[in-house]
Amino acid sequence: DAGITQSPRHKVTETGTPVTLRCHQTENHRYMYWYRQDPGHGLRLIHYSYGVKDTDKGEVSDGYSVSRSKTEDFLLTLESATSSQTSVYFCAISVAGTSGSMNEQFFGPGTRLTVL
Amino acid sequence: GQNIDQPTEMTATEGAIVQINCTYQTSGFNGLFWYQQHAGEAPTFLSYNVLDGLEEKGRFSSFLSRSKGYSYLLLKELQMKDSASYLCAMGGGADGLTFGKGTHLIIQP
């Protein structure tokens, strides 16, 4: 399972409150990613990281920020949650896979976030 | 940019064969991935194609034609546990994957 955990696994919050989701990995992988998954949209990339303190924006980064102060932790923050950010959030890491791909992605179990 | 199309839903019979198609447009190609996702769970890796042709892995095979912007996932000897969503994705670089919206496969007895 590539040693990826996410916390919390479920969260209900109110509009306007800050929320931080945590992704933790135990195998020292360099690349980490945050995606959101919504019906009718599939998985979409929010932000990604290619090392400690090195991050970049993905397709749907507005309203989100990230931080990576340690290799093992990648945090996703919603500064002021809105109902449109209700979604399932997946963290992923990237490894050189047995398939020949240099960036085979393994996903964490997901966090289901509801913003009321 | 990148764009990926795949059917929204398909139905097949236990023991049969099903082919899930994926077409894509991209300005730069790094590889084509297929993932399986059961309801309420995380996606899991199935296959990767970067060269044209067929990659076989047990009951699952994946095909790629780069000139046609086309891939398919072939599932043989279908089992009830194969009921899931199948996600076509492009990427392979360090900047993440671009996913299609997924094909929900329903297996009937």
Side-chain angles (χ1 to χ4, degrees):
Chain A
D1 64 355
I4 307 168
T5 57
Q6 293 184 231
S7 59
R9 294 291 314 278
H10 301 269
K11 185 170 182 68
V12 179
T13 191
E14 295 188 349
T15 297
T17 60
V19 177
T20 296
L21 308 183
R22 180 185 185 231
C23 178
H24 180 77
Q25 54 125 338
T26 59
E27 299 181 0
N28 214 33
H29 297 292
R30 178 181 176 187
Y31 298 100
M32 299 183 74
Y33 307 83
W34 277 107
Y35 294 87
R36 61 177 289 175
Q37 187 172 36
D38 306 287
H41 288 279
L43 279 154
R44 292 178 292 174
L45 182 67
I46 305 172
H47 281 279
Y48 63 100
S49 171
Y50 42 98
V52 172
K53 292 187 169 51
D54 290 324
T55 65
D56 209 343
K57 295 179 180 180
E59 177 189 356
V60 290
S61 59
D62 287 350
Y64 302 95
S65 62
V66 290
S67 66
R68 193 160 178 208
S69 58
K70 299 183 291 184
T71 299
E72 58 265 37
D73 288 325
F74 192 30
L75 304 180
L76 177 70
T77 297
L78 292 66
E79 300 291 347
S80 178
T82 67
S83 57
S84 65
Q85 293 176 310
T86 293
S87 187
V88 179
Y89 290 86
F90 288 102
C91 174
I93 57 92
S94 182
V95 299
T98 57
S99 62
S101 163
M102 293 304 294
N103 284 286
E104 187 175 312
Q105 298 207 348
F106 291 89
F107 288 83
T111 294
R112 184 172 295 276
L113 176 67
T114 302
V115 183
L116 301 176
Chain B
Q2 296 178 323
N3 187 53
I4 299 173
D5 289 310
Q6 52 182 129
T8 301
E9 187 172 284
M10 299 181 69
T11 302
T13 304
E14 189 177 16
I17 299 172
V18 70
Q19 178 175 310
I20 302 174
N21 295 325
C22 170
T23 57
Y24 65 87
Q25 298 85 39
T26 182
S27 55
F29 183 80
N30 286 319
L32 193 294
F33 295 80
W34 285 95
Y35 282 79
Q36 179 189 59
Q37 186 177 26
H38 287 101
E41 298 182 7
T44 56
F45 171 82
L46 286 178
S47 69
Y48 169 73
N49 294 72
V50 67
L51 300 176
D52 290 352
L54 189 68
E55 295 280 341
E56 297 186 79
K57 197 182 290 186
R59 293 191 299 116
F60 293 7
S61 302
S62 57
F63 172 83
L64 175 67
S65 169
R66 288 173 296 171
S67 62
K68 295 182 179 177
Y70 169 67
S71 173
Y72 67 72
L73 181 70
L74 191 72
L75 291 74
K76 304 175 185 175
E77 302 170 14
L78 285 169
Q79 302 174 10
M80 298 303 292
K81 68 179 182 179
D82 297 329
S83 291
S85 290
Y86 292 86
L87 315 180
C88 178
M90 298 187 58
D95 55 352
L97 296 176
T98 299
F99 285 84
K101 296 178 182 179
T103 299
H104 183 211
L105 177 64
I106 300 167
I107 308 299
Q108 296 177 333

Short mmCIF file of all heavy atoms in Angstrom, two decimals, chain A residues 80-102:
data_model
loop_
_atom_site.label_atom_id
_atom_site.label_comp_id
_atom_site.label_asym_id
_atom_site.label_seq_id
_atom_site.Cartn_x
_atom_site.Cartn_y
_atom_site.Cartn_z
N SER A 80 -10.51 28.98 3.93
CA SER A 80 -11.89 29.33 4.29
C SER A 80 -12.80 28.44 3.45
O SER A 80 -13.10 28.74 2.30
CB SER A 80 -12.14 30.80 3.98
OG SER A 80 -13.48 31.16 4.29
N ALA A 81 -13.20 27.33 4.06
CA ALA A 81 -13.91 26.30 3.30
C ALA A 81 -15.23 26.81 2.71
O ALA A 81 -15.97 27.59 3.34
CB ALA A 81 -14.18 25.10 4.19
N THR A 82 -15.53 26.35 1.50
CA THR A 82 -16.80 26.66 0.84
C THR A 82 -17.50 25.36 0.47
O THR A 82 -16.87 24.30 0.39
CB THR A 82 -16.58 27.48 -0.43
OG1 THR A 82 -15.90 26.67 -1.40
CG2 THR A 82 -15.75 28.72 -0.15
N SER A 83 -18.79 25.44 0.22
CA SER A 83 -19.56 24.23 -0.09
C SER A 83 -19.06 23.55 -1.37
O SER A 83 -19.17 22.33 -1.52
CB SER A 83 -21.04 24.56 -0.22
OG SER A 83 -21.26 25.53 -1.22
N SER A 84 -18.48 24.33 -2.28
CA SER A 84 -17.95 23.74 -3.52
C SER A 84 -16.70 22.89 -3.28
O SER A 84 -16.26 22.18 -4.19
CB SER A 84 -17.61 24.86 -4.52
OG SER A 84 -16.56 25.66 -4.04
N GLN A 85 -16.15 22.97 -2.08
CA GLN A 85 -14.99 22.14 -1.74
C GLN A 85 -15.39 20.84 -1.06
O GLN A 85 -14.52 20.06 -0.66
CB GLN A 85 -14.02 22.94 -0.88
CG GLN A 85 -13.39 24.10 -1.64
CD GLN A 85 -12.48 24.96 -0.80
OE1 GLN A 85 -12.87 25.41 0.29
NE2 GLN A 85 -11.29 25.24 -1.30
N THR A 86 -16.68 20.60 -0.94
CA THR A 86 -17.16 19.28 -0.52
C THR A 86 -16.72 18.27 -1.57
O THR A 86 -17.04 18.40 -2.76
CB THR A 86 -18.69 19.27 -0.38
OG1 THR A 86 -19.06 20.10 0.71
CG2 THR A 86 -19.21 17.85 -0.16
N SER A 87 -15.97 17.25 -1.14
CA SER A 87 -15.37 16.33 -2.10
C SER A 87 -14.68 15.19 -1.35
O SER A 87 -14.62 15.18 -0.13
CB SER A 87 -14.34 17.08 -2.96
OG SER A 87 -13.85 16.28 -4.01
N VAL A 88 -14.17 14.25 -2.12
CA VAL A 88 -13.27 13.25 -1.57
C VAL A 88 -11.86 13.62 -2.01
O VAL A 88 -11.62 13.83 -3.20
CB VAL A 88 -13.62 11.83 -2.04
CG1 VAL A 88 -12.64 10.82 -1.46
CG2 VAL A 88 -15.05 11.47 -1.65
N TYR A 89 -10.95 13.71 -1.06
CA TYR A 89 -9.59 14.16 -1.33
C TYR A 89 -8.64 12.96 -1.20
O TYR A 89 -8.63 12.25 -0.19
CB TYR A 89 -9.18 15.24 -0.34
CG TYR A 89 -9.92 16.53 -0.59
CD1 TYR A 89 -11.18 16.76 -0.02
CD2 TYR A 89 -9.39 17.52 -1.41
CE1 TYR A 89 -11.88 17.93 -0.26
CE2 TYR A 89 -10.07 18.69 -1.66
CZ TYR A 89 -11.33 18.89 -1.08
OH TYR A 89 -12.01 20.05 -1.33
N PHE A 90 -7.86 12.74 -2.25
CA PHE A 90 -6.88 11.67 -2.26
C PHE A 90 -5.48 12.23 -2.34
O PHE A 90 -5.19 13.12 -3.14
CB PHE A 90 -7.10 10.74 -3.47
CG PHE A 90 -8.30 9.87 -3.38
CD1 PHE A 90 -9.47 10.17 -4.06
CD2 PHE A 90 -8.26 8.71 -2.62
CE1 PHE A 90 -10.58 9.36 -3.99
CE2 PHE A 90 -9.37 7.88 -2.54
CZ PHE A 90 -10.53 8.21 -3.22
N CYS A 91 -4.62 11.67 -1.52
CA CYS A 91 -3.19 11.94 -1.60
C CYS A 91 -2.56 10.81 -2.40
O CYS A 91 -3.04 9.67 -2.37
CB CYS A 91 -2.63 11.97 -0.18
SG CYS A 91 -0.86 12.12 -0.07
N ALA A 92 -1.49 11.10 -3.12
CA ALA A 92 -0.80 10.07 -3.88
C ALA A 92 0.70 10.30 -3.81
O ALA A 92 1.15 11.43 -3.61
CB ALA A 92 -1.27 10.05 -5.33
N ILE A 93 1.46 9.22 -3.97
CA ILE A 93 2.89 9.33 -4.13
C ILE A 93 3.26 8.71 -5.46
O ILE A 93 2.50 7.94 -6.05
CB ILE A 93 3.66 8.65 -2.96
CG1 ILE A 93 3.27 7.18 -2.84
CG2 ILE A 93 3.41 9.36 -1.64
CD1 ILE A 93 4.14 6.24 -3.61
N SER A 94 4.43 9.05 -5.95
CA SER A 94 4.87 8.62 -7.26
C SER A 94 6.16 7.84 -7.12
O SER A 94 7.09 8.29 -6.46
CB SER A 94 5.09 9.85 -8.14
OG SER A 94 5.48 9.49 -9.43
N VAL A 95 6.17 6.65 -7.75
CA VAL A 95 7.37 5.82 -7.68
C VAL A 95 7.69 5.28 -9.06
O VAL A 95 6.82 5.24 -9.94
CB VAL A 95 7.17 4.62 -6.71
CG1 VAL A 95 6.89 5.12 -5.31
CG2 VAL A 95 6.07 3.71 -7.19
N ALA A 96 8.91 4.85 -9.24
CA ALA A 96 9.27 4.13 -10.46
C ALA A 96 8.70 2.74 -10.32
O ALA A 96 9.09 1.99 -9.43
CB ALA A 96 10.79 4.07 -10.62
N GLY A 97 7.72 2.41 -11.16
CA GLY A 97 7.01 1.16 -11.01
C GLY A 97 7.58 0.02 -11.82
O GLY A 97 8.42 0.21 -12.70
N THR A 98 7.12 -1.17 -11.53
CA THR A 98 7.55 -2.36 -12.26
C THR A 98 7.03 -2.37 -13.68
O THR A 98 7.50 -3.15 -14.51
CB THR A 98 7.07 -3.63 -11.53
OG1 THR A 98 5.64 -3.56 -11.40
CG2 THR A 98 7.68 -3.73 -10.15
N SER A 99 6.07 -1.50 -13.98
CA SER A 99 5.50 -1.44 -15.33
C SER A 99 6.44 -0.76 -16.31
O SER A 99 6.23 -0.80 -17.51
CB SER A 99 4.19 -0.65 -15.29
OG SER A 99 4.44 0.68 -14.86
N GLY A 100 7.47 -0.09 -15.81
CA GLY A 100 8.37 0.68 -16.68
C GLY A 100 8.14 2.16 -16.58
O GLY A 100 8.94 2.95 -17.07
N SER A 101 7.04 2.55 -15.95
CA SER A 101 6.78 3.96 -15.75
C SER A 101 7.66 4.51 -14.64
O SER A 101 7.86 3.86 -13.63
CB SER A 101 5.31 4.17 -15.36
OG SER A 101 5.13 5.45 -14.81
N MET A 102 8.17 5.72 -14.83
CA MET A 102 8.95 6.36 -13.79
C MET A 102 8.07 7.08 -12.79
O MET A 102 8.55 7.58 -11.80
CB MET A 102 9.94 7.35 -14.42
CG MET A 102 11.01 6.69 -15.26
SD MET A 102 11.92 5.46 -14.30
CE MET A 102 12.74 6.49 -13.11
#
